[in-house]
Amino acid sequence: MDARLEAIKDTVLARNPGEAEFHQAVVEVFESLGPVHDRHPEFLEAAILERLCEPERQIIFRVPWTDDAGRVQINRGFRVEFNSALGPYKGGLRFHPSVYLGIVKFLGFEQIFKNALTGMPIGGGKGGSDFDPRGRSDAEVMRFCQSFMTELYRHIGEYTDVPAGDIGVGGREIGYLFGQYKRITNRYESGVLTGKGISWGGSLVRPEATGFGTVIFTQEMLKTRGASFDAQRVVVSGSGNVAINAIAKAQSLGAVVVACSDSSGYVVDESGIDVALLREVKEVQRGRLKDYAERRGGVTYVDGGSVWDVDATVALPCATQNELDGAAAARLVGNGLLAVGEGANMPSTRDAVAVFQEAGVLFGPGKAANAGGVATSALEMQQNASRDSWSFEHTEERLTEIMVGIHDRCAATAEEYGEPGNYVLGANIGGFVKVADAMLAQGLI
Ligand code: NDP
């Protein structure tokens, strides 16, 4: 790493102790930014990096609620409003027991660059709670969401901060959160949350957008080698929102998705995952992958283990951070891997990224490859602002244009900085320069 940036990085790490995921995200970005600071010494003089690493606002709050047995439960809520240089803070809410400040900050930090890459007017933020919705009744999830919003409402708004979903937060949770916001504020402020239901201000394609976008980005990478998704053997991790829609899109382009996973195990389905059945098991019945395997029949279900043991030509990690390490990357490369498109945020460890890059595997980092979700959230905000709703075809066309644009911008930036094909460098520099320019123009705030 550039010596000037090394010193700034050391200060950031020391100031944010015990936040391993945030450290990892910061280091990964800093490693790309040396050449930018050679060209733009004004960024150093204005302390852009130091300011970028310090969230504009961090909110931590108590979320009390009662479970179905009448017992009091206490969770912790977070919203980190990281950077508003380009627009209102924008980023999802994650409900998962592993959530703590370090995870929310890594996600919020990544979101700044991702949102800049989309070309839409949105800043970066993220939030969530250590609440675990798994195994909770609808009524419990509703009471939790209402309590969460009873604090959060005072910090968000159409022009301030616009949350959406992430792990553990889908259409059901957004519905309860929106209902409580409306009740407290007495305003039908559609633009305050995205990922809403279609009949009450949501956008078509938003549920599919992250998974679809990841596949579109990966397809653009494949094209640079004269390849396509047709007849690729694909492995996807996860079986949630992003994974299911990535599977659907990849198969619509002629790929065979032979495996996917959840946190309990993985399934190998050599004839290709049955997306309709997977949707029914996961989205309607809120079941497990094991239930899919039982209902599908004739497939292999592996309890525990790693989905990355299954050989593939394209890997789409769509579950969670640091789920694919150096050893798994080496196995995938040894088995003939051609491309990786990250649907999840930071799913590959730094070791894994190094293995992919050294082997010449096409590697699309999450902050570029999974930006389709937030980009379509921005399209939802546009529709809300104009009290309009667009057709599926039109919205998907816009998503495709945006993803191809992000791919081309990352590729052109990597080329401009002397590392053609390095999408990590392209995404980090492309996102950073846009935000840094806006921060310079807006003065020392
Ligand atoms: P969901 O909650 O819908 O699904 C998450 C999936 O990942 C589930 O299959 C879950 O399995 C699995 N998973 C979660 N944690 C772990 C773990 N520790 N080990 C193994 N598997 C795990 O979330 P999304 O699909 O929305 O999000 C997936 C990823 O995509 C996240 O990294 C998120 O930040 C990222 N992302 C999401 C966007 C969106 O629009 N939703 C936008 C951009 C990025 P189980 O059910 O067993 O927990």
Side-chain angles (χ1 to χ4, degrees), residues 208-223:
E208 295 85 1
T210 308
F212 276 25
T214 300
V215 170
I216 297 166
F217 186 96
T218 308
Q219 174 165 260
E220 292 305 300
M221 292 199 300
L222 288 167
K223 279 188 195 164

Side-chain angles (χ1 to χ4, degrees), residues 94 96 107 114 126 134 165-169 206 210 238-243 261-264 282 288 318-321 343-345 370 373:
R94 176 177 293 190
H96 192 270
L107 291 165
K114 180 189 309 193
K126 200 84 187 188
R134 263 174 48 189
D166 190 81
I167 291 179
V169 179
R206 177 61 189 92
T210 308
S239 48
N241 171 274
V242 179
S261 65
D262 63 15
S263 57
S264 310
K282 298 291 296 191
R288 308 290 299 157
C318 296
T320 194
Q321 65 278 352
N345 285 309
N370 72 33

